[in-house]
């Protein structure tokens, strides 16, 4: 054979140079109808349209992180590269990716072995061509079918079958199998895919049996043979079933004849059976009669119950009217008391103001009276002095003795000096008296301020003591919440539990009620406490006996005289009252009932009874509460409302809360403790400040009292001096000596004294007028004060009987409520009984309908029955016993008839099955005979074609040979004679050299390719044992066959460079480089001879 031209080969340097470029794809259009042939031939066949492999991509497969994506040509594809570059991995991925088993690859026994070390999974993506008329679901998949397989570390795998656009069409393996069957792809057929291991094994094998097996598997004759064997085994098993069925038929026929003979021997019992049927008819309608009687009795009871229910409804209405009247009376009295209280509270500030006015006017009047009396005393003293002066002047005028004139003048001068001294002393006394009055007023004012601050300190101390106690309770409640309701509550509850365990209570008391409720909104805690007040510490008892036991327990923990928790006596119920018809409703604001979470129906019912919590709204904002309750008509059934500050709002009244924070229901205990601690500190600071003020006042009072004492002593001294001077004046005036007196001086003094008297008199008149005016003002203020005080007293006197009436009305309301509750419970109990009777009536009616339906099934026409059901039952039992006695002696006719029919049907059924199986076996033998002949003919044809192709291929190298098939011993003998020697001297393949044997094997494989149908063929290292000459010859043969079969795809894996291949677009070379260290993707791309020449 001629050598190829040198320019058709790659240069050695270019062939060995590593390629790091990415894969260069060819034109997406793989239609190669216009391609020129690469062998001297003129093939005009078109390229394959279905089943060939367009591309493969691998990730984390075997020892490769990434291979591909790369594309195959539609005809001849060479995957070239050194060992370890990934050629066999591509072929292995093709087998595994198209559903092949791991063992078929000769690379491992399990799929998990194909996952790269250190990775969790591997992925394979294979694209199959799907064009032309033979395309598989072309409207669904399009021109390509993408098969994606995901392999996990545990060896499991999953499929995704996608269209050409990437849309997932299916994930089932059955769909993949259908696609492979449609394309006739057999990845486990060595003719389709010949792996490296199988290629080596086949080339090295010298066993004639192995060659025969290879031929049978490649042509799928082995599968046909196995199917034939399986069918023959099934045929033998079916024959065994027929034999067993025939044996069983003999036994069944014997049993059937026995049953028929026994049936013929049974005598008829028609008369007794007729009588029995008649009795059954009577029994059916007798049962109906008894149920109708029971139904009528139940109907009468229901009618009586409905009448009683109507009476209870009327009593409930009457009781409701009485309750409404009692509540109205209670409300009227409460309104009167509220009005009186409002009026009293309204007059209280005025009364206090009037009282202070009276005190002020009394003080002013007293001061005016003191000044008047002082002026009056002064006037009297001046008048007395005037009388004495006049008397003295007269005496002096009558005195005739003028010799004593100098002595008299001296005495008169001394008297005048003493009078001047007296006047000075009196002025000092007046000044000291004014100081005394000022000090007294200052002391009185300080004492009043001291008393006020003392009272304020006492109030603050009370508040501090209360806050400290509340703080202690709160701190205790951090460990035990029950201590918020009192320090004795935990011990009391333990005592209650112990008493209940010992059977002292009918029902265990519930309480304190505050511990049994929970807030939905913490901001409403103060509002709910202001509404419920002492009920939060109350307890509930089922009856008065339980109440007495609880009172006895409370006496152990609460001292006499101290307040105890309230005990509510009300029968315990498991269901909460239905208050929907009488509850208040507002779309924005809840009632106390809806604002609480109450798990215990007893607690809820007690709060409804005692406080009507379903009628009390909770409105956080004060102004909004006033607007809802007072600016417009209050919501239906709403009696009152409470704000978040604890203020109580009625339709016409508003009461501020006494409390500033919740005591029992607060959730944020730490915040409450912090606030209380701050308040305690503030109160302590306030007390300290008040004490300092008291100390300062006490110091001022003590200082003023000392000044007052000194003033009193000074005043006393002045009075003593005045009295002494006056006494001396009187002594001088009373001397009976005839002394000469200066009458003119005395007359001047008398005149001056008269002027003083007039001034004092005028001043007295003014003071008297002022005193009278102040007296009238004082009397007027006292009258006003007495009048308003009288009015307040009158209001208090009016309130006392109203309070008694309110207590009586409250008791009446409670009585009426208990009465209503009594009737409600009786009504509920009666309605439960009535509903139970109605349900019984419905059940009886249904039972009657069922019995009548059963009776009509037994006897369509109703029969008048005189006997009772029990009597008929006895007669039926007696007749049945008689029939059974007859049957015991002769047997049951129906039973025998049934057994006979069953035996006959079983016999006929089995006989039919046996006949059907015999026909099936006969038809199967005919079919299998024909199929076996066809199989032998097909095998002969394939054998002949394989021989012809083998001879033709050998002749291309001037070899001679023959193939001898021994189908009986399942051997295949191949004899080859190299060269043009004697054709009779054929040598066994074992006598050939390695290259000759490899060439012969290639011819054998190409022969099988010619007779086997598959869209693609894959060979791995087919030329491993060939020399250069045989390799070229084998390559030419493969390329020539590929050119003649362009509708098939050829994928050839070889470590050779393939640089000597002819230039053709039908040949695609995928040249793979050795993986570099750290390289994740193995770069390769298709290379044509033209590119190699251009590069060189």
């Amino acid at each position: 054979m001629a050598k190829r031209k040198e320019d058709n080969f790659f240069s050695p340097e270019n062939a060995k140079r590593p390629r790091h470029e990415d894969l260069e794809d060819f034109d997406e259009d793989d239609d190669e109808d216009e391609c020129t042939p690469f062998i001297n031939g003129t093939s005009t066949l078109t390229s394959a349209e279905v089943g060939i492999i367009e591309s493969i991509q691998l990730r984390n497969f075997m020892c490769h992180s990434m291979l591909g994506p790369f594309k195959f040509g539609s005809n001849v594809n060479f995957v070239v590269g050194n060992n370890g570059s990934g050629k066999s991995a591509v072929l292995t991925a093709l087998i595994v990716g198209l559903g092949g088993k791991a063992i078929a690859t000769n690379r491992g026994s399990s799929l998990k072995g194909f996952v790269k070390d250190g990775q969790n999974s591997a992925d394979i993506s294979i694209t199959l061509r799907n064009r032309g008329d033979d395309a598989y679901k072309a409207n669904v998949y399009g021109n390509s079918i993408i098969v994606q397989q995901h392999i996990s570390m545990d060896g499991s795998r999953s499929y995704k079958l996608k269209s050409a656009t990437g849309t997932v069409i299916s994930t089932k393996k059955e769909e993949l199998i259908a696609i492979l069957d449609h394309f006739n792809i057999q990845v486990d057929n060595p003719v389709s895919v010949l792996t490296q291991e199988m290629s080596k094994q086949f080339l090295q094998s010298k066993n004639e049996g192995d060659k025969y097996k290879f031929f049978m598997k490649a042509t799928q004759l082995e599968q046909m043979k196995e199917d034939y064997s399986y069918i023959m085994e099934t045929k033998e098993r079916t024959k065994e079933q027929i034999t067993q069925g025939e044996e069983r038929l003999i036994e069944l026929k014997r049993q059937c004849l026995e049953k028929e003979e026994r049936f013929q021997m049974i005598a008829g019992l028609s008369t007794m059976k007729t009588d029995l049927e008649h009795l059954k008819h009577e029994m059916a309608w007798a049962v109906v009669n008894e149920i109708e009687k029971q139904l009528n009795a139940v109907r009468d009871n229901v009618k009586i119950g409905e009448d009683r229910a109507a009476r209870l409804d009327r009593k409930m209405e009457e009781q409701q009217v009485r309750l409404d009247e009692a509540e109205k009376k209670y409300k009227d009295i409460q309104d009167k008391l509220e009005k009186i209280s409002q009026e009293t509270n309204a007059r209280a500030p005025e009364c206090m103001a009037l009282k202070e006015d009276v005190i002020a006017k009394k003080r002013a009047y007293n001061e005016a009276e003191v000044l008047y009396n002082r002026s009056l005393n002064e006037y009297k003293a001046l008048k007395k002095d005037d009388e004495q002066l006049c008397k003295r002047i007269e005496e002096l005028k009558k005195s005739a003795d003028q010799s004593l004139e100098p002595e008299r003048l001296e005495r008169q001068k001394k008297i005048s000096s003493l009078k001047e001294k007296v006047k000075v002393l009196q002025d000092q006394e007046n000044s000291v008296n004014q100081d005394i009055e000022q000090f007294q007023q200052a002391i009185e004012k300080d004492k009043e301020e001291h008393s006020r601050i003392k009272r304020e300190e006492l109030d603050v101390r009370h508040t501090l003591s209360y806050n400290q106690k509340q703080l202690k309770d709160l701190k205790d409640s951090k460990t035990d919440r029950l201590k918020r309701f009192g320090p004795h509550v935990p011990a009391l509850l333990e005592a209650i539990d112990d008493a209940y365990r010992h059977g002292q209570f009918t029902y265990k008391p519930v309480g304190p009620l505050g511990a049994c409720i929970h807030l939905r909104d913490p901001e409403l805690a103060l509002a709910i406490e202001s509404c419920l007040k002492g009920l939060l510490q109350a307890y509930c008892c089922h009856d008065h006996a339980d109440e007495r036991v609880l009172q006895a327990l409370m006496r152990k923990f609460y001292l006499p005289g101290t307040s105890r928790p309230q005990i509510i006596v009300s029968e315990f119920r498991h269901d909460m009252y239905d208050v929907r018809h009488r509850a208040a409703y507002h779309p924005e604001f809840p009632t106390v009932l809806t604002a609480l979470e109450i798990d215990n129906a007893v607690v809820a019912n007690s709060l409804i009874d005692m406080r009507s919590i379903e009628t009390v709204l909770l409105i956080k904002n004060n102004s909004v509460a006033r607007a809802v309750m007072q600016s417009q008509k209050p919501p239906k059934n709403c009696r009152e409302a409470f704000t978040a500050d604890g203020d109580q709002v009625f339709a016409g009244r508003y009461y501020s809360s006494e409390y500033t924070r919740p005591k029992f229901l607060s959730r944020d205990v730490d915040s409450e403790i912090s606030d209380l601690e701050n308040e305690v500190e503030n109160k302590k600071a306030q007390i300290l400040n008040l004490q300092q003020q008291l100390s300062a006042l006490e110091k001022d009072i003590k200082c003023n009292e000392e000044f007052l004492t000194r003033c009193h002593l000074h005043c006393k001294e002045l009075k003593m001096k005045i009295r002494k001077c006056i006494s001396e004046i009187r002594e001088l005036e009373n001397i009976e000596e005839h002394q000469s007196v200066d009458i003119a001086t005395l007359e001047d003094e008398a005149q001056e004294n008269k002027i003083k008297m007039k001034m004092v008199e005028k001043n007295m008149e003014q003071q008297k007028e002022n005193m009278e005016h102040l007296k009238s003002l004082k009397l007027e203020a006292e009258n006003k004060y007495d009048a308003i005080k009288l009015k307040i007293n009158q209001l208090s006197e009016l309130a006392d009987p109203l309070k008694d009436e309110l207590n009586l009305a409250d008791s009446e309301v409670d009585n009426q409520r208990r009465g209503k509750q009594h009737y409600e419970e009786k009504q509920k109990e009666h309605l439960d009984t009535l509903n139970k009777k109605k349900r019984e009536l419905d059940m009886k009616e249904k039972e009657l309908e069922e019995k009548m339906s059963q009776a009509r099934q037994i006897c369509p026409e109703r029969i008048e029955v005189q006997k009772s059901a029990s009597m008929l039952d006895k007669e039926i039992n007696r007749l049945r016993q008689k029939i059974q006695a007859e049957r015991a002696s002769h047997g049951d006719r129906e039973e025998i008839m049934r057994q006979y029919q069953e035996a006959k049907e079983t016999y006929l059924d089995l006989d039919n099955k046996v006949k059907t199986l015999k026909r099936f076996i006969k038809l199967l033998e005919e079919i299998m005979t024909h199929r076996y002949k066809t199989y032998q003919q097909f095998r002969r044809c394939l054998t002949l074609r394989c021989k012809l192709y083998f001879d033709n291929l050998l002749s291309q190298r001037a070899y001679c040979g023959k193939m001898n098939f021994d189908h009986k011993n399942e051997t295949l003998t191949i004899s080859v004679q190299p060269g043009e020697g004697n054709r009779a001297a054929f040598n066994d393949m074992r006598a050939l050299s390695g290259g000759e044997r490899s060439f012969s094997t290639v011819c054998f494989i190409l022969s099988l390719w010619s007779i086997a149908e598959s869209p693609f063929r894959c060979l791995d290292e087919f030329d491993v044992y060939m020399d250069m000459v045989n390799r070229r010859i084998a390559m030419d043969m493969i390329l020539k066959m590929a050119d003649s079969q362009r509708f098939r795809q050829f994928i050839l894996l070889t470590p050779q460079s393939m640089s000597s291949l002819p230039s053709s677009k039908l040949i695609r070379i995928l040249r793979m480089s050795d993986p570099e260290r750290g390289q994740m993707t193995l770069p390769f791309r298709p290379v044509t001879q033209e590119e190699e020449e251009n590069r060189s």
Side-chain angles (χ1 to χ4, degrees), residues 905-920:
E905 290 174 359
T906 304
Y907 172 76
L908 293 176
D909 181 59
L910 184 59
D911 184 57
N912 186 35
K913 288 180 179 179
V914 170
K915 289 178 181 179
T916 302
L917 289 175
K918 286 182 178 179
R919 288 195 298 270
F920 170 72

Side-chain angles (χ1 to χ4, degrees), residues 67 235 290 531 567 584 666 669 758 828 1066 1074 1095:
L67 280 178
K235 173 186 169 184
E290 291 186 357
C531 174
I567 299 177
S666 175
V669 179
K758 286 181 181 180
K828 184 178 182 301
L1066 295 179
D1074 293 336
R1095 290 182 61 185

Side-chain angles (χ1 to χ4, degrees), residues 134-158:
D134 293 333
Y136 181 79
K137 296 182 181 179
N139 58 338
V140 177
Y141 287 96
N143 291 334
S144 299
I145 299 176
I146 301 173
V147 181
Q148 290 185 352
Q149 184 175 155
H150 181 79
I151 304 174
S152 301
M153 277 295 296
D154 57 359
S156 62
R157 60 181 170 184
S158 60

Side-chain angles (χ1 to χ4, degrees), residues 109 127 129 230 241 245 266 289 416 440 457 494 541 547 584 586 601 612 709 744 757-758 807 871 916 922 1014 1048:
S109 60
T127 304
R129 181 172 292 180
Y230 175 76
Q241 292 179 0
I266 296 177
N289 290 340
S416 297
Q440 286 177 341
E457 181 195 14
E494 289 182 3
C541 288
E547 179 196 14
H586 194 279
S612 300
T709 303
M757 285 177 63
K758 286 181 181 180
N807 292 331
M871 293 178 63
T916 302
K922 184 177 180 182
S1014 177
R1048 290 195 175 95

Side-chain angles (χ1 to χ4, degrees), residues 500-516:
Y500 178 69
R501 283 194 297 270
H502 287 82
Q504 298 181 28
F505 290 108
T506 306
Y507 288 94
K508 180 183 174 182
V510 178
L513 299 186
C516 303

Side-chain angles (χ1 to χ4, degrees), residues 111-314:
L111 288 176
K112 62 184 178 181
F114 295 125
V115 180
K116 184 181 178 183
D117 291 342
Q119 302 296 327
N120 295 324
S121 62
D123 294 289
I124 304 171
S125 177
I126 302 173
T127 304
L128 302 177
R129 181 172 292 180
N130 189 42
R131 301 179 184 175
D133 296 336
D134 293 333
Y136 181 79
K137 296 182 181 179
N139 58 338
V140 177
Y141 287 96
N143 291 334
S144 299
I145 299 176
I146 301 173
V147 181
Q148 290 185 352
Q149 184 175 155
H150 181 79
I151 304 174
S152 301
M153 277 295 296
D154 57 359
S156 62
R157 60 181 170 184
S158 60
Y159 296 93
K160 285 185 181 179
L161 302 176
K162 297 183 178 180
S163 65
T165 59
T167 305
V168 177
I169 305 300
S170 176
T171 58
K172 296 181 179 179
K173 187 177 181 181
E174 290 77 7
E175 180 73 1
L176 176 61
I177 294 173
I179 293 172
L180 298 179
D181 291 342
H182 184 81
F183 293 158
N184 197 24
I185 296 175
Q186 307 159 23
V187 293
D188 57 347
N189 191 333
V191 172
S192 296
V193 181
L194 186 62
T195 63
Q196 181 178 346
E197 293 297 325
M198 186 173 288
S199 175
K200 292 178 181 178
Q201 181 181 356
F202 180 71
L203 291 174
Q204 295 174 358
S205 173
K206 300 177 182 179
N207 191 332
E208 296 174 351
D210 292 340
K211 292 184 178 64
Y212 184 83
K213 289 180 181 179
F214 188 83
F215 168 77
M216 293 291 286
K217 189 171 183 180
T219 56
Q220 292 186 288
L221 290 172
E222 183 179 3
Q223 181 66 37
M224 296 173 64
K225 184 179 178 182
E226 290 176 356
D227 294 342
Y228 180 79
S229 300
Y230 175 76
I231 293 172
M232 297 307 293
E233 291 175 2
T234 304
K235 173 186 169 184
E236 294 301 323
R237 289 196 297 270
T238 306
K239 284 184 177 180
E240 292 178 3
Q241 292 179 0
I242 292 172
T243 303
Q244 294 174 359
E246 289 176 343
E247 295 175 356
R248 176 68 177 156
L249 274 175
I250 297 172
E251 178 65 21
L252 286 176
K253 187 174 183 180
R254 183 185 63 78
Q255 293 178 1
C256 185
L257 291 174
E258 289 179 357
K259 300 293 182 184
E260 185 178 6
E261 183 181 358
R262 187 178 177 188
F263 174 71
Q264 296 296 334
M265 295 174 62
I266 296 177
L269 300 174
S270 58
T271 304
M272 285 188 290
K273 289 184 178 180
T274 303
D275 294 341
L276 180 62
E277 288 298 320
H278 183 69
L279 287 174
K280 287 181 179 179
H281 294 173
E282 290 186 347
M283 180 67 177
W285 288 108
V287 171
V288 171
N289 290 340
E290 291 186 357
I291 293 177
E292 285 178 342
K293 291 178 182 178
Q294 296 174 3
L295 183 63
N296 292 331
V298 173
R299 280 175 179 162
D300 293 339
N301 290 334
V302 169
K303 188 175 183 305
I304 293 171
E306 289 177 345
D307 294 340
R308 187 182 177 194
R311 289 196 301 272
L312 285 173
D313 287 339
R314 289 194 295 272

Side-chain angles (χ1 to χ4, degrees), residues 39 211 254 277 473 643 648 770 778 987 1020 1058:
I39 298 296
K211 292 184 178 64
R254 183 185 63 78
E277 288 298 320
D473 294 342
T643 69
Q648 188 176 15
N770 185 32
K778 183 192 76 166
N987 294 327
D1020 188 6
M1058 295 291 110

